[in-house]
Amino acid sequence: MAGSAAAKASVDTAATAGFTRPSAIVQVGRFAALWLRELARPRLLIGVALLALALLTLIGLGARAQPGDLAATRQGALDLAGPALGLLALALGARALRGDADAGALDGWLLRPHGALALPLGRALAVGIFAAGFAAALIAGVVLIDTWLGRSLALSRLPLQALGFGLGGLAYAAVGLGCASFGRGYVVLALGWWLAVDTGLSQAAEGLESLALRPAVAFIAGYDPEISLFDLDGEARRLWSAVVRLLVTAALGLAAACLRLRRDAPI
Amino acid sequence: MNAEAAMPGGGGAGQDAVAGEIVRFRRVTRRFGARMALLDASCSLGAGVVGLVGPNGAGKTTWLRLAAGLIQPTTGEVRWRGDLPRRHPDLDNRIALCADRDALPPDASAWQLLRDHLRIAGLSAAAAGERAEASLHRLGLQDRMERPLGQLSRGQRQRVKLALTFALPADLYLLDEPQNALDPVWRLEVAALVRAARDAGALVVVSSHILEEVEAIADRLVVLYRSRIVAMGPKDAVRLQLGRAGVALRVEASDVRALGRALIGHPAVLRLEVSEGALRVAGDDLSAIQRGLAAAVLTSGVRVSAVETEGDDLTSVFRALGQEVR
């Protein structure tokens, strides 16, 4: 039951509000934290856990079939985890923008200071972190499989695997956000990009591989840690090139989303 | 119709900022592709409660989104608090929008939603939590603020949206159908909240299709029709415009045709219609029509059972103004 109007109908003044304009970094961090909490919903976590379990089962079966061939197992794991990670981050990245846009809640966020720029950045970051967490779970699973088969653990590979999957997740999420900012046809756009650029084009011709994210993620994650990271005449050059490729793609996807949000067209 | 001329004290196109002005539209046109959403709108609004009325597709939502700074005009300009452009730091959190859509995340609680928005707005975690609680309390949601929003009724979710809108003090509140799904008690509470915001020096723009509610809350009106502002100003001034557009009496009597015959030729009566057993007497001057009707009743000897005035409420204002520009 409503109380008296006089008692409740009070609106305070600017002097009592007590807010300060947060820095852009703080805004990005807050948007990322909020979206990470959204991603931590039980239904999504269960779905992702089932996907990881299915992938690990396949990897485990492959490893058991060839217990001595570590390289083949690792390649098989990358071949399975790469597309799964890419599609997951792409879908979640698109959802991070379209969810609120379709519900009509995006305006509320965009009315907040720095909203137009901080929101896509923060949400892509959150999806990137989530995707990296998914990849980390897969890596942990592969380590368990290695242990189960009594093989030596290559823990020195972990940092580069984390880097590859983390950057990859961010880049795919940013592409998803960019696609989502182009309207309701985003599913076609994102899947079209994934099929044409990330899957088809990269295998169609030599040189076009640089447009695709999957080979870049696979190269970083599969990089041999025995090779110096700073020997720029050799493999390290390709490693850094792959890192830059992922960062540039992430920047392009985010730039598209930011520009579309600032362009005032309904998305 | 010259909308600027109908806005006493309002700044028009080409004028400088008016003291106390909170938002100004200067010859604003907004298109979405080939579709015209708002055409050549000019107005200057200071503190108070403004009713934004018009049928679906008239341009109300576009007007609100332009006033919120969420979209920009195709031509013309919108300025806030004097001459500030949109996204100026001085406008941070000074504009609040309560959208018409029921756009709340189903899994989050009301308290969580408000606290998240207030954190993004720049409040500390503690301050955001306290303010969220106070705002929800103000809207009578203290017992439901921890429940997932998906479990609340439509009316309760509408109150959550209003709690979010009024959680921070603003200069400009833009409320799109704010009383949707609210019961009569909460409609009164929301009206009181709107008045309190006005008394604190804010401009509250209330868009609604429930015209009686707008009339009860608003001091001034902006009437949109087919993407144009067709009238604006204090309610009384808009009613005067209605006088030009025409008023009518609907009379139920024992013999409406005899009464109509007695009114033929009266200088105040411009039109007579008999429909559904009632006589409709239309003209420009309501008091002159009433005097003519009284005389006609005496001369015809018919018994009058009911007299209703058409054109004295906002519905009629809008209908008449809409007909004028059609």
Side-chain angles (χ1 to χ4, degrees):
Chain A
M1 187 67 184
S4 84
K8 285 183 180 168
S10 60
V11 174
D12 51 4
T13 63
T16 62
F19 61 82
T20 51
R21 188 174 196 166
S23 70
I25 292 172
V26 170
Q27 283 279 323
V28 170
R30 285 182 183 170
F31 271 117
L34 291 183
W35 200 249
L36 266 176
R37 201 186 63 209
E38 283 295 310
L39 292 173
R41 303 268 174 225
R43 271 177 296 183
L44 181 63
L45 288 179
I46 290 169
V48 170
L50 289 174
L51 175 66
L53 202 62
L55 288 171
L56 285 171
T57 306
L58 290 172
I59 294 168
L61 289 173
R64 200 176 175 194
Q66 296 171 293
D69 192 350
L70 243 69
T73 304
R74 290 205 177 101
Q75 191 55 47
L78 283 176
D79 287 347
L80 282 170
L85 174 85
L87 277 175
L88 180 71
L90 195 64
L92 291 180
R95 190 70 200 152
L97 196 57
R98 283 256 50 102
D100 277 353
D102 291 342
L106 194 58
D107 288 349
W109 294 114
L110 293 179
L111 268 179
R112 303 294 172 203
H114 298 297
L117 286 168
L119 185 141
L121 281 167
R123 291 193 169 177
L125 198 60
V127 175
I129 292 168
F130 186 85
F134 170 72
L138 284 181
I139 292 167
V142 172
V143 168
L144 283 176
I145 290 168
D146 280 347
T147 310
W148 171 52
L149 292 174
R151 302 193 306 207
S152 63
L153 299 177
L155 294 177
S156 58
R157 287 180 179 272
L158 290 183
L160 280 166
Q161 285 175 342
L163 177 73
F165 287 126
L167 281 181
L170 179 66
Y172 278 106
V175 170
L177 274 162
C179 291
S181 70
F182 280 88
R184 292 178 191 275
Y186 70 99
V187 175
V188 175
L189 198 62
L191 275 178
W193 173 85
W194 185 73
L195 287 171
V197 178
D198 206 40
T199 305
L201 206 60
S202 63
Q203 292 165 0
E206 195 77 19
L208 291 176
E209 195 183 86
S210 60
L211 288 170
L213 301 186
R214 198 154 56 88
V217 174
F219 188 82
I220 298 169
Y223 190 79
D224 185 352
E226 300 299 319
I227 303 172
S228 165
L229 291 175
F230 304 102
D231 174 19
L232 294 183
D233 290 331
E235 285 289 283
R237 188 188 184 90
R238 286 183 64 200
L239 174 78
W240 291 114
S241 159
V243 169
V244 169
R245 206 185 309 161
L246 293 178
L247 287 173
V248 167
T249 306
L252 287 174
L254 288 172
C258 290
L259 285 172
R260 290 282 301 177
L261 285 175
R262 292 186 77 86
R263 209 181 128 245
D264 306 328
I267 64 165
Chain B
M1 180 179 290
N2 183 353
E4 285 159 26
M7 187 64 177
Q15 292 183 1
D16 290 329
V18 177
E21 177 185 75
I22 290 174
V23 65
R24 183 180 75 239
F25 280 52
R26 193 163 155 179
R27 306 211 63 173
V28 170
T29 291
R30 174 69 204 207
R31 292 172 186 275
F32 293 105
R35 187 172 69 84
M36 176 66 71
L38 197 63
L39 179 62
D40 200 23
S42 293
C43 59
S44 169
L45 303 173
V49 183
V50 172
L52 184 67
V53 294
N56 289 339
K60 297 193 300 293
T61 301
T62 301
W63 194 98
L64 289 173
R65 287 172 60 79
L66 282 160
L70 286 166
I71 55 173
Q72 284 183 298
T74 308
T75 60
E77 66 173 23
V78 183
R79 288 289 184 269
W80 292 263
R81 285 172 59 188
D83 205 31
L84 297 180
R86 74 184 194 134
R87 293 187 178 140
H88 190 281
D90 287 354
L91 295 174
D92 280 0
N93 298 315
R94 310 307 299 167
I95 301 172
L97 172 69
C98 180
D100 180 29
R101 292 172 74 179
D102 187 16
L104 298 174
D107 296 328
S109 72
W111 181 79
Q112 212 169 39
L113 176 78
L114 262 72
R115 196 200 52 172
D116 289 350
H117 269 267
L118 295 172
R119 287 285 286 145
I120 295 292
L123 264 65
S124 68
E130 282 171 19
R131 191 168 277 269
E133 194 173 335
S135 194
L136 289 165
H137 193 274
R138 194 162 54 199
L139 270 296
L141 291 160
Q142 60 273 19
D143 299 331
R144 290 176 174 78
M145 58 189 185
E146 298 292 346
R147 276 198 205 168
L149 289 162
Q151 292 179 14
L152 300 186
S153 70
R154 229 180 122 223
Q156 287 164 347
R157 288 205 302 274
Q158 182 68 14
R159 274 149 59 195
V160 171
K161 280 164 57 185
L162 288 162
L164 181 58
T165 306
F166 285 98
L168 279 177
D171 293 332
L172 174 57
Y173 296 92
L174 301 160
L175 313 179
D176 200 354
E177 309 280 356
Q179 296 181 321
N180 262 0
L182 295 182
D183 62 36
V185 174
W186 278 106
R187 286 177 186 220
L188 289 174
E189 292 286 340
V190 170
L193 199 60
V194 165
R195 289 191 196 98
R198 173 198 61 193
D199 295 344
L203 164 62
V204 188
V205 180
V206 181
S207 163
S208 177
H209 69 279
I210 304 171
L211 303 179
E212 292 77 10
E213 283 176 2
V214 173
E215 195 173 32
I217 298 175
D219 312 315
R220 287 169 287 168
L221 300 174
V222 172
V223 184
L224 284 166
Y225 188 77
R226 292 189 176 177
S227 310
R228 290 173 184 269
I229 295 178
V230 294
M232 62 179 167
K235 273 190 295 191
D236 294 343
V238 174
R239 279 182 175 165
L240 280 176
Q241 286 180 269
L242 169 69
R244 289 203 301 276
V247 289
L249 289 179
R250 186 178 178 280
V251 187
E252 289 177 18
S254 55
D255 187 346
V256 290
R257 291 185 186 280
L259 186 61
R261 279 194 295 276
L263 277 166
I264 290 174
H266 192 283
V269 177
L270 299 180
R271 198 168 173 185
L272 287 165
E273 290 170 0
V274 175
S275 113
E276 296 174 1
L279 176 69
R280 189 171 179 276
V281 189
D284 280 339
D285 184 341
L286 181 62
S287 354
I289 295 173
Q290 285 169 333
R291 284 196 299 274
L293 177 66
V297 168
L298 289 174
T299 55
S300 63
V302 300
R303 191 161 40 83
V304 173
S305 53
V307 179
E308 287 174 14
T309 308
E310 292 181 2
D312 199 31
D313 61 358
L314 195 50
T315 309
S316 307
V317 172
F318 172 70
R319 190 183 297 137
L321 291 169
Q323 283 166 354
E324 194 174 80
V325 295
R326 196 166 286 164

